[in-house]
Amino acid sequence: MANAPHGGVLKDLVKRDAPQHSQLLEEARTLGDIFLTERQLCDLELILNGGFSPLEGFMTERDYISVRDTLRLEPVHGQRQGTLFSMPITLDVSKEDIARLSLQEGARVALRDPRDDAALAILTVSDIYTPDKHLEAENVMGADDIAHPAVAYLHNNVKEFYVGGKVQAIAAPTHYDYVPLRYTPSELRAHFHKLAWRKVVAFQTRNPMHRAHRELTVRAARQRRANVLIHPVVGLTKPGDVDHYTRVRAYQALMPSYPEGMAHLALLPLAMRMAGPREAVWHAIIRKNFGATHFIVGRDHAGPGKNSQGKDFYGPYDAQELVTQFKDELSIEMVPFQAMTYLPGTDEYQPVDEVPKGTVTADISGTELRKRLRTGAAIPDWFSYTGVVKVLRDSYPPRPQQGFTILISGLHNSGKDTIARALQVTLQQQGSRSVSLLLGEELRGDLDPKINRAITPEQKHINLQRIAFVASELTKSGAAVIAAPVAPYEKSRQAMKKIVNGNFFLVHVATPLEWCEKVDRRGLYKRARSGELKNLTGVDDIYEPPTDADLVCDLRNDTVPEIVHSIIMLLEGENLI
C-alpha cells in the first residue's frame, strides 16, 4: 500500500477542477496573464498534480514567513502547530506586473506556460507582499552568499514582490520528451497498487548513475524487502549539471541491470534549490506524496558545493540529521546513503565502512570520469555499464571530436577577415570536421537586410548575439566555427562566450587604427571622417581592447601564415585537432 500523502490528502488539483475545465479555460481568455519562469512552471506543475501537497497554490505572506522561519505552514483549523514544509513556494512579480494586471486581494489572473502560451491555472490573489530576500537566503539556504546558486537566483532573477493565493487547475504543462516516464503522484500510486508494491525506496538523483548507485539501491531495497523507485529530477538543477536528456538516456540504459521487477524509473519535474538539509526534508515530502515509503538521503544531500570562503555550505550529515529530526511527522523512513567502493579481488561492491582495513579497493571520481570522457580514455566495466558509457560518450565526445568557436575581433581592415579565411582553408585541409566562416558584415546582411554599415552600438551588440547563436548551434554539432565581426564591446564578447557555452577562443587582431586607415581601399574610414558614415568603430565609436584574449596579433609584425599557425597550435594544445 502506498504511503499516505503529506497532510493526509493528495491535492490533485487537475482532477479536482476537471468538472470546471471549460469554464475556467473560457475565463482565462478574459484575464490578464502572468507568463511563468522556468522555475515557476516547475513549481506550478507540482502544485497542480499534488507533488507539493498540502499546498493548493503559492504561499501567502503568513505561510511564507512561517516556512522561512520555522519550516512549517501557518497553523489552520485549530492546529497546535502548522504542517511541516521546509521550502517557500512563491510567485514573484514586479511592480510593473502589479500595475499592468491591477493585482490586489481578490483579483484573478491566468498563469500561462511560457513555451506555448497555454493557460495552466487561474490564481486568486490573497495578498501581495515584499519579501526580505537577505533573511530568506540566511534562513532557507543557510547563508546570504551568492556563491550559492539559489541565493544568486534570488538576488539576480527573483522580482521584488511575491503574490500569494490558491490556484484552480486548467491543465498540467504539456511535455514532449519522455512522456511514458512522466507520472503524476496519482499515476505512480496507481502503478504501485497495480504491481502490489507495498514498500518503495525512492532514490533522488540529478546525475548519471553507475554501478555503485545500482548496488546501493539494490542493497537498500533488499535489506527492507522493498522495491526501488529511481526518481531523477528533470527540472532545474545545479548550473553545470549534465543535461536531463543525456541523464534520462543513461537511466534507461541502466534499468535492465536491476533484477526483474525490482525497479521502476519515473521523472520528477522539480526545480531544485540546492538547499541541503531543508531540501532533503522537501524531497522526502515530495516522495511521500508520490507514494514512496522509504527515501535515500546521502552525504551532503542537495549540497551546492563551496561557499565564498571555499568551505562546504553544509556539513556532510546535516541533511540526514534534519530528516531524522522530523521522522515522525514525515512518516517516510530515511535510508542513509552508503558510499560504495569496488573490491577488485572479489569483483563486487561493498559499503566503504564495511571494507576491512588493508583491502584493495578501486574508485573513479567524478573529475576522473570527466577527464576520461574528455580524452576518450577507457572507462572500465566495473565502474559503469556499456550502455551508460555510450550515452555519455555520445553527448560528451572526446575533445578531438568536439566543436569549437574562434572569435577573431579587430578593427575594420585590421586583417581579421583575411586571417579568418586563411584559417578556414587550413582547417578544411585537415578534413576532420565541417568548418563554418561567419564574417560579421556579410552575416549581418544575411540575417537582417535592414541593417547596414551605419549601425548603432545597440545594433552591433545584437548582431554579435545573432552570430553567437549561430556559432553555438554549429559548435554543439561538432563544427569548427570561425567568426570575424569587429565585436568592439567587452560586454558583447562576454555574452557571446556565454551563449556558445563550449570551446571558445578569442583572437584579438590588435593592428592599430592608423595602419587600418592607411590600407583602407574601400574608403570606409574616409566616409566616416567626412560624416557620411556614422558609428564606425575607431572613428566615432569605441573599440574596447580585450584583456582576456587567447592570442594577440598585429599584421604590422605578424604574417597571416604565422598567425594561422599560432591559432592551430592553440587548438592542438587544447587537444581539439
Side-chain angles (χ1 to χ4, degrees), residues 243-260:
D243 67 274
H244 84 266
Y245 301 104
T246 298
R247 289 191 288 110
V248 174
R249 290 195 296 272
Y251 303 139
Q252 289 174 316
L254 175 84
M255 294 307 293
S257 71
Y258 281 94
E260 181 69 25

Side-chain angles (χ1 to χ4, degrees), residues 210-211 342 347 349 364 378-387 389:
H210 302 288
R211 284 187 181 268
Y342 180 67
D347 188 27
Y349 275 87
I364 293 180
I379 297 172
D381 289 341
W382 60 259
F383 175 77
S384 195
Y385 295 92
T386 301
V389 172

